[in-house]
Amino acid sequence: MAGRAAALCRGVGALALAALVGLTAPQARAAYPEKPISLIVGYAAGGGSDFIVRSLAPFIEKELGGTARVVVMNRPGAGGEIGFAAIADAAPDGYTLGLINSPNVVTIPIERHARFSLDRLDPLYNLVDDPGSFVVHKDSPMQTLADVAAYAKANPNTVTVGTTGIGSDDHLAMLMFQRLTQVQLTHVPFPGSADAHRALLGRHIQLSSMNIGESQRAREGDPIRILGVMTDQRWDQAPDIPTFKEQGFAVNMASLRGLAAPVGLPPEIRAKLVDAIAKAVEHPEFRQIATRAYQPLRLLPPDAYAAELKRMDEQFRALWKEAPWLK
């Protein structure tokens, strides 16, 4: 009987020791990603920002492998600030990423007390560099940029211009044109370029300042006229559109669109994400989608992307001191 009791005690002790070891031993981490990844877009559905991430998401899923899912979530408002803040505020666990747009992601913290800062965002990969353009309805009497300037000079504050918000590339381009021509335009901000475009089609505004990729795509089916593109040379996908420069207006403006995460991702997860994105953007089918949708790709890996944002931050801080765009 005593022997049986001793054996029982030994068995109980062994179980207790095993339980203790189980508690103290490092737990195996589940393979990333084990749940859906949210990809936040700070603009309304239907615009160029929304389009590029929805087009890329399936290719990122494929490169991550397994049952990976990327779910695009629109958080429009405040010129992109709501979406940018949602990215910056998220847990740095690889399950919340987002699209950041320049110059908005740079200019918003310069012009006001923002709910995010650039140093709280980790640039992973830039996707697009989309130049600006001015667009009018086909029924508009304004056929050229010179017509816009002449009409605005004769009718101060009557030309309404839709943009994606204060401090956006669309807004800054409008202000540059206004300064060059010494006219007064009326700014009408929208949650996204798709909203501004609908307003233009409905004749609620007279002019839309929007990226050429968006306006060129819209031109295929909508009654609009693109007055000019904000580049040094004509864009090869729209060779019939004159530049602002060749029409006598030195306005160059574009929007970078890239993917970012909250600062602090575990190194192995960050490396896996960057690798998946780098492979996804090289996929021939994604390239075809981007080309057909007039999305000018400019692929920048993390270090080059971060350096470009830093350069832009310095540039726009200097511009703010010289000519603040928000008064």
Side-chain angles (χ1 to χ4, degrees):
M1 190 74 178
R4 290 179 62 190
L8 180 60
C9 287
R10 286 195 298 273
V12 171
L15 288 172
L17 180 61
L20 182 61
V21 171
L23 288 173
T24 58
Q27 300 297 305
R29 178 180 289 176
Y32 170 85
E34 58 178 331
K35 62 181 182 180
I37 297 169
S38 296
L39 205 165
I40 296 170
V41 179
Y43 300 92
S49 296
D50 180 72
F51 177 87
I52 197 67
V53 293
R54 289 186 187 276
S55 300
L56 184 60
F59 298 97
I60 296 176
E61 291 174 344
K62 180 179 179 180
E63 296 302 333
L64 286 172
T67 58
R69 284 186 60 217
V70 177
V71 181
V72 177
M73 303 175 67
N74 297 91
R75 300 277 184 85
E81 181 179 359
I82 291 174
F84 303 155
I87 303 166
D89 290 341
D93 56 9
Y95 289 102
T96 303
L97 309 177
L99 190 78
I100 58 173
N101 305 60
S102 71
N104 307 53
V105 74
V106 169
T107 57
I108 289 172
I110 294 173
E111 70 196 20
R112 60 181 185 260
H113 181 68
R115 286 168 279 184
F116 74 97
S117 57
L118 194 57
D119 61 5
R120 294 177 57 214
L121 294 165
D122 180 8
L124 300 179
Y125 225 93
N126 189 65
L127 309 174
V128 168
D129 190 348
D130 200 352
S133 67
F134 272 8
V135 181
V136 294
H137 197 283
K138 261 197 172 171
D139 293 343
S140 170
M142 294 179 282
Q143 303 281 329
T144 66
L145 294 175
D147 290 344
V148 175
Y151 185 87
K153 193 163 285 187
N155 304 275
N157 296 307
T158 61
V159 177
T160 47
V161 183
T163 78
T164 52
I166 293 170
S168 66
D169 56 315
D170 313 319
H171 179 225
L172 294 178
M174 184 204 90
L175 293 180
M176 290 172 71
F177 182 79
Q178 186 172 259
R179 197 175 301 123
L180 282 171
T181 56
Q182 296 296 299
V183 301
Q184 289 298 315
L185 307 170
T186 297
H187 182 217
V188 185
F190 289 89
S193 58
D195 304 274
H197 184 62
R198 283 191 288 270
L200 181 70
L201 293 179
R203 297 178 177 82
H204 303 299
I205 57 174
Q206 291 168 277
L207 188 149
S208 178
S209 178
M210 62 194 298
N211 296 110
I212 188 65
E214 298 165 330
S215 57
Q216 178 73 343
R217 189 167 74 250
R219 186 169 68 152
E220 291 185 343
D222 295 333
I224 62 171
R225 181 184 304 115
I226 305 174
L227 301 182
V229 60
M230 302 172 198
T231 52
D232 283 329
Q233 306 293 330
R234 292 197 183 197
W235 187 36
D236 57 3
Q237 283 193 266
D240 61 314
I241 306 299
T243 67
F244 273 58
K245 185 177 178 180
E246 69 185 87
Q247 295 181 72
F249 306 98
V251 178
N252 275 41
M253 187 63 65
S255 175
L256 294 185
R257 301 184 193 122
L259 298 180
V263 166
L265 287 181
E268 66 277 12
I269 288 178
R270 186 179 189 271
K272 188 169 185 177
L273 279 168
V274 170
D275 182 65
I277 297 166
K279 290 176 178 174
V281 296
E282 295 294 346
H283 199 286
E285 189 179 346
F286 169 70
R287 293 295 193 103
Q288 290 172 5
I289 292 170
T291 299
R292 285 198 300 267
Y294 305 104
Q295 293 291 300
L297 296 180
R298 184 186 176 194
L299 305 176
L300 298 176
D303 289 348
Y305 187 20
E308 183 68 7
L309 290 173
K310 183 176 184 295
R311 184 195 65 77
M312 292 180 68
D313 184 60
E314 292 169 353
Q315 172 192 350
F316 283 108
R317 286 187 185 280
L319 178 62
W320 176 260
K321 288 180 181 178
E322 178 189 334
W325 51 85
L326 179 63
K327 297 179 181 178

